[in-house]
Amino acid sequence: MGFGTAKAKQMREAIDKAITEAKLNVIPVKLGCGSWECRCGKPHSVSFRAWGKAGSVEVVLMPAPRGTGLVAGDTAKIVLRLAGVKDVWTSSKGETRTKENMARATLEALRNTLAFKSVKDWMRT
Ligand SMILES: [Zn+2]
């Protein structure tokens, strides 16, 4: 019980940090449907594979078809949900137990979804 509470408290802190950081940076996230299996064009996932790194943690976000949900660890899930992502596959490596870096890496990956947007927009015009 004591351990469970301590763990919950850590989780709570990780959530708070993720929220604070997301608010501070006001990350513009490029949502879309980059899934080959789905192609609905609705902004329920990410448009592109996006990569993020914080400390030793690396996170890759991959477009997933609708209904997949957030295939991610608890910390990443919270950040993704905040960003409005509904379906995504993630893979991560490094010290993923370090919740703060996990949250940061996920935010970084989300921020990187925007980097691809401008390239695509240039190509379109
Ligand atoms: Zn879709």
Side-chain angles (χ1 to χ4, degrees):
M1 218 36 185
F3 176 70
T5 311
K7 220 181 153 203
K9 191 170 173 277
Q10 268 192 350
M11 193 60 207
R12 181 84 249 162
E13 277 163 21
I15 297 165
D16 289 344
K17 272 183 186 151
I19 293 168
T20 308
E21 187 139 337
K23 277 182 184 164
L24 282 173
N25 292 308
V26 195
I27 37 163
V29 180
K30 169 68 177 163
L31 296 178
C33 176
S35 170
W36 294 102
E37 300 98 301
C38 183
R39 291 180 153 233
C40 67
K42 299 227 165 64
H44 63 94
S45 187
V46 290
S47 298
F48 300 92
R49 235 177 105 104
W51 178 85
K53 187 174 195 275
S56 66
V57 183
E58 289 180 36
V59 174
V60 179
L61 305 177
M62 288 160 285
R66 283 179 92 172
T68 304
L70 302 173
V71 185
D74 287 341
T75 309
K77 225 178 244 182
I78 292 154
V79 178
L80 292 164
R81 202 175 292 139
L82 277 169
V85 182
K86 291 191 177 63
D87 306 292
V88 79
W89 279 310
T90 65
S91 81
S92 53
K93 56 181 177 181
E95 286 289 317
T96 54
R97 284 166 302 163
T98 314
K99 294 192 190 316
E100 188 179 338
N101 278 346
M102 191 63 207
R104 282 179 194 278
T106 309
L107 280 165
E108 197 55 41
L110 284 167
R111 201 175 289 134
N112 284 338
T113 60
L114 198 75
F116 292 99
K117 185 194 176 188
S118 44
V119 174
K120 204 187 175 194
D121 285 350
W122 290 336
M123 283 163 71
R124 203 178 282 151
T125 49

